[in-house]
Amino acid sequence: MQGQPPIRQQHGSEHQKLYLEVKADPILGMPTDVMVPKYSFKKNFEIRILDREEWNNGPPITAQNMWYTDGSRIEQGAGAGIYGVRPETKICLSLGRFATVFQAEVAAIQGCAREIIGQGAARQSIAMYSDSQAALKAIGSMQVCSRLVWDCVKALQELGSRNKLTLAWVPGHKGHKGNEEADSLAREGAGRALIGPEPFCGIAKTHVRASIDEWMDGKSREWWRNLPQQR
């Protein structure tokens, strides 16, 4: 009929309306941690996923410089913990309200690498222990799609270029002193307020999916309530 807008335009306006409603979610307006894949084929460090039995007599890898890292998340936010054995070093970092446990684990490893670099370590054997196999496997992967993981890899490459660097898995919550210290520091950091703008790092895909799912659930309930004679 004359004067009536084409059907395609009506659909387009509805789609634009939905897009603007979803985009209004503050999380979806934040920078994302996802990036175009980058590749790291040659590593200046070694990653070892050890068996639990190898820990029966204490740390299976000894080095001049031994460190433990951990990440934690509580209701208030996320934190990273870094513990150095010799000399004893304790660092806790607040990562704000939006970092995931995985991001906290990676940030702890990156922070540890930066701390050792800042100490001027050179021509040393360094062992860095983490209880997150997911973080270690992501760092060891040839393809990286996370900005945070990529920044962590770059820090490890820099540290490993001047030292013999090994990253290894430690069983979490099994009474290993270094891991317990790092865990305590991570929880302390998670309870602190972040000094600086949120988010600490790019928003993870899990947060984006959760926000979209929450919006869809709300819309479904709203449409159901507005339909006549529904129970």
Side-chain angles (χ1 to χ4, degrees), residues 123-200:
R123 296 183 294 278
Q124 295 185 20
S125 59
I126 301 171
M128 195 182 299
Y129 290 104
S130 169
D131 63 7
S132 173
Q133 291 195 23
L136 292 175
K137 289 176 180 178
I139 291 166
S141 175
M142 289 186 294
Q143 177 178 289
V144 179
C145 301
S146 159
R147 300 178 194 276
L148 179 61
V149 172
W150 185 252
D151 289 342
C152 182
V153 169
K154 289 193 296 184
L156 293 170
Q157 293 279 50
E158 180 181 349
L159 178 61
S161 67
R162 297 192 295 273
N163 300 275
K164 182 183 178 182
L165 174 61
T166 303
L167 283 76
W169 176 73
V170 52
H173 309 291
K174 295 297 180 181
H176 300 295
K177 182 181 185 299
N179 181 247
E180 295 296 329
E181 290 280 1
D183 176 66
S184 177
L185 290 165
R187 284 187 278 109
E188 181 181 344
R192 294 182 179 182
L194 173 67
I195 299 176
E198 290 272 20
F200 162 81

Side-chain angles (χ1 to χ4, degrees), residues 2 4 20 43 45 51 55 75 80 83 114 124 129 140 149 169 178 182 201 207 209 229:
Q2 249 184 347
Q4 194 173 26
L20 292 175
K43 300 288 197 302
F45 53 89
D51 294 329
W55 280 89
E75 187 176 351
Y83 177 73
R114 288 297 175 198
Q124 295 185 20
Y129 290 104
V149 172
W169 176 73
C201 58
H207 277 317
R209 291 195 193 102
Q229 299 179 347

